[in-house]
Amino acid sequence: MKKIQSIRGMNDLLPEESPVWQYLEKTVAQLLGRYGYREIRFPILEPTELFKRTIGEVTDIVEKEMYTFDDRNGESVTLRPEGTAGCVRACEQHGLTFNQTQRLWYQGPMFRYERPQKGRLRQFHQIGVEVFGLDGPDVDAELLAMIWRLWQQLGIDKLVTLQVNSLGTSESRGRYREALVTYLEQRKEQLDEDSQRRLYSNPMRILDSKSADTQALLNEAPRLEDFLEDESRDHFSQLCALLDGVGIPYQVNNRLVRGLDYYGKTVFEWVTDALGAQGTVCAGGRYDGLVEQLGGKHTPAVGFAMGIERLVLLLDVAGVVPDSIGRQVDVYLLAAGNVQVEALRLGETLRSQCPQLRILNHCGGGSFKSQMKKADRCGAQVALLLGEDEAASGQISVKFLRQDKPQQSMTIAEAVVLLNQQILSEDED
Ligand code: ATP
Ligand code: MG
């Protein structure tokens, strides 16, 4: 019978890989906590209308990337392609933005029907952050400082570059869009195919074109920064001054636009050239109009999302994954002979008295020799041998698997002391 395979672009995370993910997720969650951000969780499935209204009808995501289907009631539902829309929906539904600010984060799977390749999947994972109720550049800068600290902590700060831009307000963007279309219409034949298609649907995305010819054409095109009104211009220059002041390196990229319609004023991306074409590891910006667009009161907002798969790849390329996270067992408890009860009881005693340790009880019997192979293979530091003699005398044999020390016999109380010390001294290395 043909075996069933996973859906293309939807990966399994295998046990060898999960420690890096846990390390990354834990590091980010702790860091966000230190800045006063709180976690929010919302559904993976939402009414299709939510994404159409927020992300924009003519964006790539809504036009061709969403997993949309009718549920059994005939209502159109969509697997979330990103988190901002659902986060805003949840906040509005529960009154979280009413007369208060919110600093929130979330994580989880997102779904986009894209062409799967390295760093581009159909089910991928993001950690996202959203701030509501603050309109100044100070909070934009706070987000960037927080991300910068994260890169430093992870050891990838040398591999990423921050690009920032201002998209202005929807009025100034509208004026710019007209000027851009007028300019490009006269040179339509020279545009790449994608850009020709976007000329009337989403012309700003042309700035983002990967085609060298199109980019050359844009050199003479009207520039977005010349169309910004004072408010956006001030916001942006204050943001740049704050970044300078706190010492975060960045580049102004006047052609940086985002693939979602709701952004205005500040936009940013952290990019790396260590991952080939999928170089954006974190992206975001300001979306002051979105809450209102979903029927709420005017609420300024800013946020970002980082792609976990790409970050894991980057940690790997950078060689900065700490060795210790790969090891998942500290102590392997071997049991040979008629000692099942004693072995189970000993495992429980040790877990109570050495709460830092990860202890694996051998199950399934077999000789000490065959069990020892498993102990070695699982990466444990220490093997504890419990045979019938040990069980009868209340002793245990301790064998050090990674150190050149003789095997020792001792009481369980002595073993507890030793194991706790062993772990402490390893943490110091
Ligand atoms: P890209 O330009 O690479 O398509 P995007 O602008 O569509 O990215 P966003 O919607 O801003 O991406 O999502 C934020 C981050 O989520 C990206 O910077 C990236 O790290 C990650 N991401 C987006 N789409 C995917 C995907 N299909 N597979 C893996 N990661 C993704
Ligand atoms: Mg995309």
Side-chain angles (χ1 to χ4, degrees):
M1 209 200 298
K2 192 163 174 269
K3 287 203 180 140
I4 297 171
Q5 302 281 315
S6 65
I7 295 173
R8 205 160 95 85
M10 300 202 177
N11 286 354
D12 301 309
L13 184 69
L14 301 180
E16 293 84 72
E17 305 163 307
S18 60
V20 189
W21 281 59
Q22 289 172 347
Y23 160 70
L24 181 61
E25 288 164 357
K26 196 169 143 194
T27 307
V28 180
Q30 275 173 354
L31 181 84
L32 289 166
R34 293 174 63 199
Y35 282 79
Y37 286 70
R38 300 185 301 157
E39 187 182 4
I40 181 168
R41 301 188 188 192
F42 41 86
I44 286 169
L45 203 60
E46 297 271 5
T48 301
E49 187 58 23
L50 175 68
F51 302 113
K52 284 198 175 163
R53 244 204 267 171
T54 54
I55 297 168
E57 295 267 8
V58 295
T59 57
D60 283 354
I61 295 181
V62 172
E63 268 186 345
K64 51 187 194 200
E65 294 176 359
M66 293 204 307
Y67 279 88
T68 298
F69 55 95
D70 287 351
D71 72 6
R72 287 174 193 279
N73 256 338
E75 272 166 63
S76 182
V77 293
T78 294
L79 287 170
R80 63 185 186 192
E82 56 102 55
T84 304
C87 186
V88 170
R89 198 257 326 120
C91 287
E92 286 312 293
Q93 189 167 332
H94 302 284
L96 298 194
T97 64
F98 189 73
N99 286 342
Q100 54 191 321
T101 60
Q102 291 288 350
R103 285 174 162 85
L104 303 173
W105 69 275
Y106 53 84
Q107 69 172 331
M110 307 293 161
F111 302 84
R112 296 185 195 175
Y113 194 81
E114 302 199 70
R115 197 165 67 77
Q117 50 198 295
K118 181 180 154 200
R120 193 174 293 286
L121 296 151
R122 290 182 174 172
Q123 174 174 331
F124 62 100
H125 298 76
Q126 288 184 335
I127 297 179
V129 169
E130 318 289 351
V131 178
F132 298 102
L134 296 167
D135 61 5
D138 49 355
V139 70
D140 303 9
E142 170 181 296
L143 290 181
L144 293 169
M146 186 164 80
I147 303 167
W148 180 234
R149 181 178 292 276
L150 176 66
W151 303 152
Q152 289 176 305
Q153 206 171 320
L154 293 171
I156 52 174
D157 49 304
K158 302 269 185 318
L159 293 174
V160 290
T161 314
L162 171 60
Q163 302 198 338
V164 292
N165 192 21
S166 177
L167 296 181
T169 58
S170 58
E171 293 76 42
S172 55
R173 229 165 26 252
R175 284 198 302 277
Y176 173 68
R177 199 179 295 131
E178 258 172 54
L180 181 68
V181 171
T182 307
Y183 171 85
L184 290 175
E185 263 179 336
Q186 292 155 11
R187 295 156 184 85
K188 197 173 167 186
E189 305 316 313
Q190 301 167 52
L191 286 173
D192 62 280
E193 209 177 302
D194 257 356
S195 299
Q196 288 193 9
R197 188 172 52 79
R198 283 182 169 140
L199 187 54
Y200 300 106
S201 62
N202 199 355
M204 300 267 293
R205 272 316 288 251
I206 297 175
L207 298 180
D208 206 23
S209 167
K210 302 277 186 291
S211 147
D213 291 343
T214 299
Q215 282 298 336
L217 208 58
L218 288 167
N219 288 337
E220 305 298 320
R223 286 147 41 105
L224 175 56
E225 56 182 310
D226 298 329
F227 285 74
L228 294 185
E229 65 325 320
D230 288 347
E231 189 192 327
S232 297
R233 202 183 294 277
D234 288 348
H235 188 105
F236 191 60
S237 60
Q238 283 173 45
L239 172 61
C240 292
L242 288 165
L243 294 177
D244 291 333
V246 74
I248 298 169
Y250 63 94
Q251 292 169 357
V252 175
N253 174 359
N254 291 122
R255 292 190 192 164
L256 179 65
V257 288
R258 309 287 350 280
L260 302 91
D261 275 358
Y262 49 66
Y263 289 112
K265 290 188 179 163
T266 310
V267 287
F268 57 84
E269 284 193 1
W270 296 84
V271 293
T272 177
D273 46 26
L275 297 181
Q278 270 57 251
T280 306
V281 291
C282 176
R286 197 159 259 293
Y287 52 94
D288 293 342
L290 187 62
V291 174
E292 225 170 343
Q293 215 172 300
L294 281 176
K297 266 198 351 190
H298 174 76
T299 306
V302 58
F304 66 82
M306 47 192 145
I308 306 292
E309 282 82 358
R310 291 185 195 177
L311 283 173
V312 167
L313 286 171
L314 191 56
L315 291 178
D316 203 32
V317 170
V320 293
V321 179
D323 286 341
S324 58
I325 68 164
R327 184 156 49 80
Q328 294 186 71
V329 176
D330 300 306
V331 177
Y332 197 94
L333 178 49
L334 291 71
N338 188 15
V339 293
Q340 284 193 351
V341 179
E342 289 83 353
L344 198 56
R345 208 188 296 135
L346 177 59
E348 292 310 311
T349 303
L350 293 175
R351 286 186 194 95
S352 299
Q353 302 197 9
C354 313
Q356 312 265 38
L357 290 182
R358 291 161 301 181
I359 300 164
L360 203 130
N361 267 74
H362 178 85
C363 288
S367 67
F368 272 138
K369 190 162 170 239
S370 67
Q371 294 184 31
M372 194 58 86
K373 276 196 195 128
K374 295 197 171 145
D376 198 42
R377 228 179 291 142
C378 80
Q381 297 289 310
V382 171
L384 297 180
L385 288 72
L386 181 72
E388 288 176 359
D389 291 348
E390 282 89 353
S393 61
Q395 299 256 316
I396 187 85
S397 292
V398 179
K399 191 172 163 64
F400 299 90
L401 298 173
R402 321 281 154 200
Q403 284 164 297
D404 194 14
K405 283 195 214 166
Q407 185 167 323
Q408 292 174 36
S409 188
M410 61 186 77
T411 65
I412 289 166
E414 285 164 344
V416 165
V417 174
L418 182 111
L419 289 175
N420 279 329
Q421 278 169 354
Q422 171 94 11
I423 277 299
L424 283 179
S425 67
E426 267 172 44
D427 285 349
E428 282 159 16
D429 306 338

